[in-house]
Amino acid sequence: MQAVQAAAEGRMGIVRALLGTCLGCLLLLAAVPALADHTVVLTDGTPRVPLSPYVVYYHDMAAKDSLQVAAHKLAGNQFTRLPDESAAFGFQKGAYWFHVRLLNRSQREQRWLLVQQYALSDHLDVYANYADGRTQHWKGGDALPFNEGRSIRYRHPNVLVDLPREQPVDVFVRVQSQSSMQVPLTLYTQPAFTEMSRDAQLGMGVYYGILLALFFYNMVLWLSLRDASYFWYLLHISAFGLVLFTLNGLGFEYLWPNSTWLADKSVPLSICLSQVGMQQFTRTFLGLRERWKLGDRITLGIIAFYVVLGLAATQLPYHISTPIASASVFLSITWVATLGLMITRRGYKPAVIFLLAWAMFLLGTGMFAAVAFGLVPKVFFTEYGKEIGSALEMLLLSIGLGYRYSALRTENERIIREARDQLEQKVSQRTAELSNALGQLADAHARLRESSQRDGLTGLHNRAYFREGFESLLSQARSGRRLSLLMIDLDHFKQINDRHGHLVGDECLRWAAGVIGQTLRQHNALLARFGGEEFVVALPGMDLDAAAGVAEELRLRLRAEPFKSQGATIVVTASFGVHAVDTNVRGGVETALQIADDALYRAKADGRDCVRTSAVLAA
C-alpha cells in the first residue's frame, strides 16, 4: 500500500514539474511578444537575407549595458524597429544593441555567415543565445588587429554562426564606435557569400584599375609636359583612391592589418589629403591667380585649414576629427562648384568640362557624406555613389586636361599667327618662346629615355641598355678588336638580406656597384646590373688573360673594403666568370653571356670568391 502511494506521489511530482515547465514557457512567450515579428525563417531558397527589415534595436547612451540587461529590455519591449529599415544613424555616442531571431529550416546549411557591411566600426560584439541555454560570443571591429574576430578574411566584419535546424537562435549585436554608426547586417550561406565577395572584388578591381590607368597615363603627360595641373591631378587621384581604399576596409585588410592606430586615423587623414589635392588642382586648372584673385586667396585658406586639420587629426579623438573632416567635405565641394561656375561665366571654355566633372563628384561625395550622417538610407547608389561619381569625375577631368592643353596650344598658335602680322621683333620673340617650349619637351623626352635605361636601385645601366651597347662592341670586335666579358655574382647575398634586412641589402648593392664602377673606370668598360646581385661587364680591347686580371683585381678590391652600415661590418665577396668573345662563333650576345655564365657557375661550384674562365670549361 505504501509502495502504491509512493508511486502515485512520484507521478504527481512529474506532472507538477511538466506543468511548471509549460507555464514557464508560456510566461517567456508572453514576455517577448515582439519576437515573432522579427523572426527570420531560413530555408534552402534563401541563400542571402538582408536583416534590416527584421532587426529591432535600442540606443544604450551610457554604453554600460550587458547582454543580460539588453535581453531584459528586449523582453520589456524597449527595442524598436529600424527607422525606414535603415541601419545608418550618423555619428552617435554610446552603444547600439540590435536583435534578431533566426529559425533555420534549411536542409543543406547549418552554418551561416553574419556580415556587417561597414568596415569602420571600432567595437563589435555578437552574441548567439541557443534554445539549450548556451551563449556564444564573438568580438571584432577595427579596434582589434584585422585577423582577430573575423571568421573569414574579408574587408567587412563577419561571424560564422551555427544555426541548428528547427531551433530558434536569438542573435544580439552590440556596436560601439567613434565612426559613423552604420550597421547594415546581412546573413549569407557560405556559397552565396563567396559569389557576392567575388563580384564585389571584381567591381572594386575595375574601379581601382581605372584609377591606376588614369594615374600612369597622366603621370607620363606630367613628366613630358611639366604642367603643374597634371601633378595636382595625380595627387587628387592618389589621395581620393586612398580615402575609398580606407572606407571600403581594404586599407585595414592589406596595408595596415596590425595597426589599430592607422585604422583609427586613416579616415580623417586621407580625407584631408584628398581635399588639399582637390583644391590645389582647382587653383591650377582654372588659373585662379590670373582669373579671380579673391577666389584664389579663399582657396589657399581652405588648403591651410585642411593641412592644420590633418596634423591635428593625429592627436584628436576620432569622434572629433572625422565628423569635422566629413562635414567640411560639403563646404569644400560646394566651393569648388562655385569656382567652376564663376570661371565658366568669365568665358574660360575648359571650365565647362571641369564643372561637369565635379557635378558627378559632388553627387557621389554628397551621397557618401549624407549616409555618414544618417541623412539618407544606405542603398546601392548611396553606398557606392562615391566610387561611381569619382570614376566619372576623374575620366572627365582627364579629358578636360587634354582639352585645356589643346586650348593652350591653339591659343599659342593664334598668337603666332597674329604676331606674323605685327612687327618683326614680336614675331621673333614668339618664335623663340615656342622653340624654348619645344626644347623643354625634347629635354623631358631625353630625360625619360635616360631614366628608362638606368637601374633604379644602383644607378647603373640596365640589361636592355647593355645588350644594345654590347652589340656595338661586338661589331667592332669583328673588325679585329678584342672583346671580353665578365659575369659577377655577389656571394651569399641572400644571407645579408635575411640577417640585416632588405634595406641594408639594397644599400650593399649600391656600395658594390660603386666599388666595381670605380675600379673599371680606367678600363673604358661597359658596366650594367644584370639582375638581383649579378653584374655584367664588357671589356673592349682585352683578351682572356687581361680580363681575368681585371676580375682578380675586382675580387681583391671587394674583399679588402668591407661594407659598413648601421654599425655592422660585412665582408662582401664575389664570384667571377670570364669569357673572351670569339667573333667566329655565331650567336652574338646571347651565346657570349651563356658561356660567361657557365664560367661563373664553375666559380660558384669551386667554393665562390674566385675567378674562372671559359678556357677552363673548354679544357
Side-chain angles (χ1 to χ4, degrees):
M1 188 67 180
Q2 292 179 351
V4 173
Q5 185 177 0
E9 290 177 356
R11 286 193 294 271
M12 289 300 294
I14 293 174
V15 171
R16 282 195 296 270
L18 290 174
L19 289 174
T21 301
C22 293
L23 181 60
C25 292
L26 291 173
L27 290 174
L28 178 61
L29 292 174
V32 288
L35 289 180
D37 295 333
H38 59 275
T39 298
V40 181
V41 179
L42 305 172
T43 66
D44 291 332
T46 54
R48 171 184 175 275
V49 182
L51 298 181
S52 294
Y54 308 95
V55 165
V56 291
Y57 81 100
Y58 90 94
H59 188 185
D60 175 15
M61 293 292 296
K64 294 182 178 179
D65 289 352
S66 64
L67 174 63
Q68 290 73 19
V69 173
H72 179 74
K73 290 188 176 182
L74 176 68
N77 288 328
Q78 297 184 41
F79 279 62
T80 58
R81 288 194 176 276
L82 295 176
D84 299 324
E85 298 183 359
S86 172
F89 298 92
F91 293 91
Q92 300 289 343
K93 296 181 179 179
Y96 275 74
W97 283 89
F98 302 87
H99 172 266
V100 66
R101 171 168 281 193
L102 305 176
L103 180 60
N104 184 17
R105 290 179 176 168
S106 172
Q107 299 288 343
R108 297 192 298 264
E109 299 291 340
Q110 186 170 345
R111 303 189 77 197
W112 295 67
L113 189 69
L114 179 65
V115 180
Q116 181 201 3
Q117 294 178 309
Y118 181 67
L120 303 181
S121 294
D122 295 338
H123 300 280
L124 178 71
D125 292 270
V126 179
Y127 301 88
N129 290 344
Y130 293 91
D132 59 5
R134 291 183 298 118
T135 298
Q136 283 190 298
H137 178 208
W138 299 268
K139 297 177 69 68
D142 64 9
L144 300 174
F146 183 83
N147 290 325
E148 294 185 20
R150 298 172 194 252
S151 298
I152 295 176
R153 181 179 175 86
Y154 184 62
R155 59 194 179 94
H156 289 154
N158 59 87
V159 171
L160 273 172
V161 183
D162 289 319
L163 298 177
R165 192 169 181 274
E166 297 295 346
Q167 296 183 28
V169 178
D170 289 311
V171 175
F172 290 85
V173 178
R174 180 185 183 275
V175 180
Q176 182 178 359
S177 180
Q178 297 184 69
S179 177
S180 174
M181 186 63 66
Q182 300 181 40
V183 195
L185 300 173
T186 305
L187 202 64
Y188 294 91
T189 63
Q190 294 184 59
F193 173 79
T194 300
E195 182 175 351
M196 180 279 298
S197 61
R198 179 198 63 192
D199 295 342
Q201 295 295 84
L202 173 63
M204 289 187 180
V206 171
Y207 173 77
Y208 289 111
I210 292 173
L211 258 62
L212 283 174
L214 290 173
F215 178 88
F216 286 112
Y217 171 72
N218 286 279
M219 183 176 67
V220 171
L221 291 177
W222 172 62
L223 291 173
S224 301
L225 304 177
R226 296 296 177 180
D227 186 338
S229 296
Y230 286 98
F231 173 80
W232 296 115
Y233 176 76
L234 293 175
L235 177 61
H236 169 60
I237 286 180
S238 304
F240 193 78
L242 181 61
V243 171
L244 297 186
F245 212 64
T246 301
L247 294 176
N248 291 328
L250 297 172
F252 192 33
E253 181 176 0
Y254 293 109
L255 300 182
W256 49 81
N258 297 314
S259 175
T260 56
W261 186 88
L262 274 176
D264 190 48
K265 303 297 184 183
S266 57
V267 174
L269 287 175
S270 59
I271 288 176
C272 290
L273 184 60
S274 70
Q275 295 305 306
V276 169
M278 181 174 73
Q279 295 290 337
Q280 185 61 27
F281 171 75
T282 302
R283 286 186 67 236
T284 57
F285 184 91
L286 297 179
L288 293 182
R289 185 180 299 176
E290 297 80 21
R291 294 184 174 89
W292 190 22
K293 291 186 178 180
L294 176 61
D296 185 60
R297 295 191 188 99
I298 296 174
T299 303
L300 286 173
I302 294 174
I303 292 173
F305 164 77
Y306 277 111
V307 171
V308 173
L309 179 59
L311 294 174
T314 61
Q315 305 299 324
L316 290 174
Y318 184 95
H319 69 275
I320 295 177
S321 60
T322 300
I324 294 175
S326 300
S328 67
V329 170
F330 283 111
L331 298 176
S332 178
I333 60 181
T334 301
W335 174 246
V336 169
T338 302
L339 292 174
L341 285 171
M342 292 295 295
I343 302 304
T344 299
R345 291 181 60 185
R346 298 187 180 202
Y348 185 52
K349 291 183 179 180
V352 177
I353 298 178
F354 175 88
L355 195 60
L356 179 61
W358 283 107
M360 301 295 101
F361 182 76
L362 286 171
L363 183 62
T365 307
M367 286 191 294
F368 150 69
V371 170
F373 284 94
L375 302 179
V376 297
K378 188 171 186 177
V379 296
F380 176 82
F381 286 105
T382 58
E383 181 178 4
Y384 294 103
K386 55 187 181 298
E387 284 88 354
I388 298 171
S390 63
L392 292 174
E393 172 253 347
M394 290 172 186
L395 284 170
L396 288 171
L397 284 182
S398 184
I399 294 172
L401 282 169
Y403 179 78
R404 174 178 174 273
Y405 178 72
S406 176
L408 290 174
R409 185 176 60 184
T410 302
E411 177 68 13
N412 190 50
E413 292 174 352
R414 183 187 67 80
I415 292 173
I416 293 175
R417 285 196 301 270
E418 290 178 353
R420 289 172 181 169
D421 300 330
Q422 296 176 1
L423 297 175
E424 183 178 355
Q425 181 180 2
K426 289 186 177 181
V427 174
S428 301
Q429 179 182 357
R430 298 295 185 233
T431 304
E433 292 175 354
L434 181 60
S435 299
N436 184 46
L438 293 175
Q440 291 178 354
L441 287 175
D443 290 342
H445 179 73
R447 287 194 297 270
L448 186 61
R449 176 176 174 81
E450 173 65 17
S451 175
S452 69
Q453 295 174 342
R454 292 283 180 180
D455 172 54
L457 177 61
T458 62
L460 299 178
H461 287 295
N462 55 27
R463 185 189 297 194
Y465 180 86
F466 179 83
R467 290 178 183 274
E468 295 177 4
F470 189 82
E471 289 289 351
S472 176
L473 294 175
L474 193 60
S475 298
Q476 298 176 22
R478 291 192 180 99
S479 302
R481 191 181 185 190
R482 295 172 178 174
L483 177 63
S484 293
L485 188 64
L486 304 185
M487 292 289 288
I488 307 169
D489 184 81
L490 301 185
D491 297 331
H492 306 295
F493 191 79
K494 184 177 184 301
Q495 295 180 7
I496 297 176
N497 280 331
D498 293 342
R499 183 174 302 170
H500 301 281
H502 287 277
L503 292 179
V504 173
D506 290 347
E507 188 178 352
C508 181
L509 277 177
R510 287 191 290 269
W511 169 85
V515 172
I516 295 172
Q518 291 174 3
T519 306
L520 294 176
R521 189 170 299 166
Q522 59 182 325
H523 299 295
N524 194 28
L526 175 62
L527 169 62
R529 184 184 178 192
F530 197 70
E533 61 272 18
E534 289 190 0
F535 303 89
V536 61
V537 181
L539 295 170
M542 287 193 184
D543 59 13
L544 187 62
D545 292 336
V550 172
E552 183 65 17
E553 180 185 357
L554 281 173
R555 186 186 71 83
L556 295 175
R557 178 78 180 275
L558 286 170
R559 172 175 280 279
E561 300 179 12
F563 167 65
K564 297 179 181 180
S565 175
Q566 301 179 4
T569 300
I570 304 171
V571 176
V572 179
T573 64
S575 301
F576 295 76
V578 185
H579 172 57
V581 178
D582 185 358
T583 57
N584 296 321
V585 177
R586 294 186 178 182
V589 63
E590 294 297 336
T591 301
L593 287 172
Q594 182 60 53
I595 296 174
D597 195 52
D598 291 342
L600 174 62
Y601 272 89
R602 175 66 181 274
K604 292 181 180 180
D606 288 348
R608 303 179 187 268
D609 191 20
C610 61
V611 177
R612 294 293 181 266
T613 67
S614 58
V616 176
L617 296 175

